[in-house]
Amino acid sequence: MGTTTDRRTGRRVLAWLGGIAGVAVVGIVGAGAWSAWSLNASLPQLEGTAAIPGLGAPVTVERDENGVPTLTGPDRASLIYALGFLHAQERYFQMDLLRRTAAGELSELIGPATVKMDTPHRLHRFRARAKAAVDRAGPEEHAMLAAYAAGVNSGLGALRRAPFEYTLLRQPPKPWALEDTLLVVDAMYFDLQSSDGWDEQRLALAIDQLGPAMANFLYPKGTELDAPLDGSTLPEPPMPESYTPAVKMGQAPPQQESLARGSNNWAVGGGLTGTGAAMVANDMHLGLRTPNTWYRARLVVKPAGADAPTQDLIGVTLPGNPLIVVGSNRHVAWGYTDAYVDTGDVVVLDPVDGDPDRYKSPDGPKTLVKHLEPLCPTSCPSLMVEDSDWGPVVGTDPQGRKLAYRWVAHDVGAEVMTAGAALEQAGSVDEAVAIAHRLPIPNENMMVADTKGNIAWTVVGLVPRRFGHDGTLPTSWADGKAGWNGYLSPAEVPVIANPANGRLWTANTRVVGGDALAKLGFGGYALGGRAGQIRDDLLAKDSFTEKDLLAIQLDDRAPLLDFWQRLMLQALGERVGDPALAALVAPVESWGGRAAIPSVGYRLVRTFRGAVVDRLYQAYTAPLAGPAGTHANDLISQQAEGPARRLLTAKLPGLVPPGYKSWDALLDAALKDVRDRITQSGGDIAHFTWGERNRLAIRHPLSNVAPVLSPYLDPPSEPVPGDLYQPRVTAPAFGASERLVVSPGHEDTGLFHMPTGQSGHPLSPYYNKGHEDWVQGRPTPLLPGPTRWRMTLEPARAP
């Protein structure tokens, strides 16, 4: 799934906002206009009573020292309203960015600086789609959306001053609309899936310009590192004996491997826990920022007069939506990883009589519907969106034909609310799986466990039922012989439950093979090494506690890089006459095999691998650079490890990468890259540690251009262990957005981590609280601690 452009867009959003806001802060502080009162006035209410119009019944809000709230009320509807109130008071600016990102409306708030970010998103017209979904919503769905929106707007209105970001931008916040809650779900589709089918387009370009043999070799569907639950394997594409570019070589831009974004999760059955209840672990990998993506909450439904709660939910929510995303309800616990199944197809539009605005369809000639979309009130160009029956036009192919994109995200409706609420009430694994198959969130690997010891894996979200094609290449649907026939029914979606060994795992890679894989398709699966390491960690023990599963989450060993350490030592041994290279031998020999903070050898091996893989793909894919356009620096396969190992093991003379005289010349260039990196880092190899490379760079928008504010807004820029190739996924601004380990019914021994804490407000008493526990991997409780602040939300009396 080629989501690099979408993800880079998302990461740039906050950078742009930081630049604008940071400049504003410098000016405002210098002029003395941004007073302490203004900042304090935008803090949320923590204590006392708040009278809220429209609230159905009183709700108590008890926060612990980390700001984690426990909301207690007589029904879920009141808690939806109350959670909307809290989300708005703590995270409204974050919510605003999410809905605007999905709708392609950032420029309405920021101005021309974000037009390039809005353009690819506005093509999908999600604002119009979300409004239509609200219009179709049933009474229960509409009531949930209305309750949450009312709570959000009450919370925003109850602040003495709007969230401080709006003061800096000199704009008032827009109220929350019912469709905005659905737009927040759409925003996650952009973050986790392709919005233009780049992988399909890239493979088609490669076949056209590199030849089928080389294209299929460089872009395999999997490798020997795959670790599927069913033990299946995929046929290895044959390695060509020689390669001559089919077209004239172009100048390729530098390549840098972009690994799949995603997560880890796994479960162990009740026979392995000592309590009889199963256990699930989940860590979702996303861009790291302040405030964090998630908002922790415990939601307790306790009807008046009841001795015990009828519902007790603990987990994380996404500000902008009132449902628990991952967590436990004391009967069932669940977590997600990005499934990378094939959720979209590039459709070639065959023009009618040379007219680019008309295209062939099974129902005869059709005309593209055009929508003029203003991107901001002033100073921004308008965007002309062209819509086909199969989705918006997202580009053209080398023959000049327009390409439309059919995407499951276009069909998401308000049923996400009722299905999500039903999941919160599931009493068993079987119930949770059945509900998951009608939950239209971005397609996820769901890992679920229950108190009776059952565990299961399945895929959540809509899965296309294709006919006439397999979704790997752009295809014409004009004659009706290829397309989608709706979506898989719940009975058709693969499920693996209670395996004999009591263990399940996923990490964004291929999970199944055979007919099950044919149904799910290839959506750009991640390399299998991380999943294989989790599998091996699980198979190494016969019983597990929560701390044992946390230890797997924190596993920073790097067996994937063993091959590269051996190759680097061999290359260094063949170049003994170079003193600069001789200094690398000892640290590479004693590298330790872990992404550890003090390790020089790990950083050397990691840098060497990156240089070799980047140079290989830059050389082979140079003919694609021009036709790839804006994707020109996104030509490395997620599965590049497999082709690279095979090439460097065989070293066939006919496959020497174009531009190099020999395989040794390629390795010489990669070693030179390593030496250059050491020089750029100061020249002292003793300081070339992994910790110096892997320092946190988690930023608040204000500190990007006003570094003087960084000590007050940002968590420390400290070195962290881990990398992108092992369970402890950590990069300077990317990693585990939460770590959860829980056995349903035993939440009191559950564990939880979250970077940057609950609040986005720098004067909050719990700003960045809990962050250091996440950095250090210290076990901390899942359940909120003792109450530090208590507040009551009461229905406002009619005048």
Side-chain angles (χ1 to χ4, degrees):
M1 181 167 57
T3 58
T4 300
T5 295
D6 297 325
R7 292 162 180 169
R8 288 175 181 160
T9 294
R11 292 195 293 270
R12 288 198 301 262
V13 168
L14 290 181
W16 274 108
L17 291 174
I20 294 166
V23 170
V25 169
V26 173
I28 292 171
V29 172
W34 191 30
S35 66
W37 176 87
S38 177
L39 190 58
N40 273 285
S42 62
L43 280 164
Q45 180 178 348
L46 300 183
E47 296 180 303
T49 301
I52 310 299
L55 181 64
V59 175
T60 60
V61 179
E62 298 171 289
R63 288 177 168 96
D64 69 4
E65 64 175 0
N66 291 322
V68 180
T70 297
L71 289 75
T72 304
D75 52 66
R76 187 67 174 91
S78 297
L79 297 186
I80 287 174
Y81 195 108
L83 188 59
F85 186 93
L86 296 190
H87 280 168
Q89 292 225 321
E90 299 264 25
R91 301 285 195 90
Y92 195 78
F93 189 60
Q94 175 190 4
M95 298 162 58
D96 194 5
L97 293 186
L98 283 172
R99 66 175 174 179
R100 290 177 181 275
T101 296
E105 295 172 352
L106 286 166
S107 300
E108 292 183 3
L109 180 68
I110 309 302
T114 51
V115 164
K116 289 185 178 179
M117 304 172 202
D118 279 341
T119 297
H121 289 199
R122 186 67 74 89
L123 287 176
H124 297 274
R125 303 184 69 245
F126 276 125
R127 170 73 65 184
R129 295 181 191 275
K131 286 182 176 179
V134 171
D135 291 341
R136 297 192 306 268
E140 185 180 356
E141 294 158 350
H142 196 278
M144 293 175 70
L145 292 170
Y148 183 70
V152 168
N153 289 323
S154 294
L156 183 63
L159 293 172
R160 291 181 294 153
R161 190 173 181 89
F164 65 93
E165 294 92 345
Y166 297 97
T167 300
L168 301 175
L169 294 171
R170 300 181 181 181
Q171 289 203 45
K174 289 177 62 175
W176 197 257
L178 271 64
E179 68 269 14
D180 290 335
T181 299
L182 302 183
L183 284 171
V184 167
V185 178
D186 293 331
M188 299 309 292
Y189 274 94
F190 278 117
D191 200 38
L192 298 172
Q193 297 184 5
S194 173
S195 65
D196 64 1
W198 167 238
D199 271 12
E200 294 175 39
Q201 297 185 58
R202 182 178 62 186
L203 182 57
L205 284 174
I207 290 172
D208 181 60
Q209 303 203 25
L210 307 182
M214 196 64 180
N216 290 319
F217 174 72
L218 290 177
Y219 298 103
K221 294 179 177 178
T223 73
E224 63 181 8
L225 296 169
D226 287 357
L229 294 176
D230 63 1
S232 59
T233 60
L234 297 178
E236 210 172 43
M239 184 166 60
E241 294 185 1
S242 63
Y243 168 62
T244 302
V247 298
K248 183 179 179 180
M249 290 290 292
Q251 180 62 43
Q255 296 296 306
Q256 186 170 1
E257 186 177 11
S258 177
L259 296 186
R261 291 160 72 88
S263 313
N264 301 324
N265 65 16
W266 54 89
V268 293
L272 301 176
T273 65
T275 67
M279 192 179 299
V280 66
N282 193 82
D283 46 296
M284 296 184 285
H285 309 151
L286 295 168
L288 303 179
R289 57 184 66 106
T290 298
N292 186 44
T293 299
W294 310 111
Y295 183 83
R296 293 178 66 182
R298 182 180 183 184
L299 308 176
V300 179
V301 176
K302 188 175 182 182
D307 294 331
T310 59
Q311 195 173 13
D312 189 353
L313 299 162
I314 178 68
V316 298
T317 65
L318 178 65
N321 188 290
L323 301 171
I324 295 290
V325 178
V326 302
S328 178
N329 65 9
R330 294 194 178 271
H331 305 286
V332 169
W334 68 95
Y336 296 129
T337 72
D338 195 351
Y340 284 91
V341 301
D342 195 350
T343 59
D345 283 324
V346 178
V347 182
V348 177
L349 300 182
D350 293 322
V352 176
D353 299 328
D355 185 347
D357 290 337
R358 303 182 71 211
Y359 62 97
K360 298 175 183 178
S361 82
D363 301 321
K366 296 286 184 76
T367 300
L368 291 170
V369 178
K370 299 190 177 185
H371 308 272
L372 188 64
E373 299 280 330
L375 294 175
C376 67
T378 59
S379 305
C380 291
S382 293
L383 175 67
M384 182 62 74
V385 176
E386 298 180 316
D387 261 334
S388 74
D389 281 0
W390 301 302
V393 173
V394 295
T396 58
D397 67 7
Q399 289 74 45
R401 297 174 299 180
K402 291 182 178 179
L403 302 174
Y405 194 56
R406 181 72 174 99
W407 190 15
V408 299
H410 296 154
D411 296 336
V412 172
E415 62 272 12
V416 68
M417 303 299 295
T418 47
L423 179 60
E424 292 180 343
Q425 301 181 60
S428 68
V429 159
D430 287 344
E431 287 181 28
V433 168
I435 294 165
H437 291 158
R438 57 185 179 87
L439 180 60
I441 61 174
N443 302 72
E444 302 284 326
N445 292 306
M446 181 187 197
M447 198 65 67
V448 59
D450 67 20
T451 55
K452 295 181 179 179
N454 300 300
I455 58 175
W457 160 86
T458 192
V459 170
V460 180
L462 302 173
V463 180
R465 185 188 289 110
R466 293 179 172 84
F467 65 90
H469 69 125
D470 65 3
T472 58
L473 290 170
T475 305
S476 172
W477 293 6
D479 59 7
K481 295 180 180 179
W484 291 4
N485 185 14
Y487 294 104
L488 297 185
S489 68
E492 294 175 287
V493 179
V495 177
I496 297 177
N498 295 326
N501 67 7
R503 299 163 175 86
L504 293 170
W505 61 89
T506 78
N508 315 119
T509 189
R510 179 175 65 85
V511 179
V512 291
D515 291 341
L517 179 60
K519 292 177 181 179
L520 299 177
F522 292 89
Y525 290 113
L527 188 66
R530 180 160 43 96
Q533 190 167 339
I534 292 168
R535 173 200 61 198
D536 294 344
D537 284 345
L538 290 171
L539 293 174
K541 290 179 65 69
D542 292 326
S543 64
F544 298 90
T545 66
E546 288 88 347
K547 289 184 179 180
D548 291 327
L549 296 196
L550 175 63
I552 298 175
Q553 292 178 322
L554 299 175
D555 182 3
D556 60 9
R557 295 176 302 112
L560 180 81
L561 296 186
D562 287 344
F563 171 89
W564 299 94
Q565 189 250 5
R566 294 192 299 269
L567 180 66
M568 189 174 185
L569 278 178
Q570 179 184 346
L572 290 171
E574 294 170 355
R575 293 157 180 81
V576 293
D578 187 333
L581 293 179
L584 309 184
V585 173
V588 172
E589 284 182 332
S590 60
W591 73 310
R594 295 175 51 228
I597 290 173
S599 178
V600 172
Y602 182 86
R603 186 175 179 184
L604 291 172
V605 173
R606 173 73 154 79
T607 303
F608 175 71
R609 180 201 176 275
V612 174
V613 171
D614 294 353
R615 283 181 172 275
L616 276 173
Y617 273 80
Q618 182 183 24
Y620 289 129
T621 65
L624 307 185
T630 57
H631 286 289
N633 59 355
D634 184 19
L635 298 175
I636 299 180
S637 169
Q638 301 282 13
Q639 304 291 335
E641 181 76 11
R645 289 190 185 196
R646 294 176 66 190
L647 287 164
L648 292 164
T649 300
K651 293 184 179 179
L652 297 180
L655 288 179
V656 171
Y660 298 92
K661 294 181 179 180
S662 65
W663 286 103
D664 282 345
L666 172 73
L667 297 180
D668 284 339
L671 290 171
K672 181 180 182 301
D673 290 341
V674 176
R675 293 200 308 268
D676 289 346
R677 292 288 182 86
I678 296 171
T679 300
Q680 294 163 10
S681 299
D684 185 350
I685 193 172
H687 294 158
F688 196 72
T689 64
W690 181 241
E692 285 302 306
R693 161 67 174 77
N694 209 39
R695 282 185 168 274
L696 291 177
I698 303 174
R699 296 285 178 260
H700 189 285
L702 302 184
S703 66
N704 282 310
V705 171
V708 67
L709 297 176
S710 185
Y712 308 100
L713 297 178
D714 302 333
S717 179
E718 55 189 313
V720 285
D723 195 4
L724 303 178
Y725 303 99
Q726 52 271 106
R728 188 168 189 165
V729 170
T730 315
F734 181 79
S737 59
E738 52 77 50
R739 297 188 190 108
L740 168 75
V741 183
V742 62
S743 179
H746 302 271
E747 287 77 8
D748 56 329
T749 54
L751 302 175
F752 187 85
H753 287 155
M754 191 172 82
T756 76
Q758 283 283 93
S759 176
H761 199 296
L763 296 188
S764 166
Y766 43 84
Y767 190 68
N768 278 334
K769 287 290 292 292
H771 174 78
E772 197 61 24
D773 295 322
W774 172 84
V775 172
Q776 300 298 331
R778 291 191 288 258
T780 51
L782 169 65
L783 292 177
T787 299
R788 174 77 180 275
W789 298 276
R790 190 177 190 276
M791 175 174 66
T792 302
L793 303 181
E794 294 184 344
R797 295 179 180 176

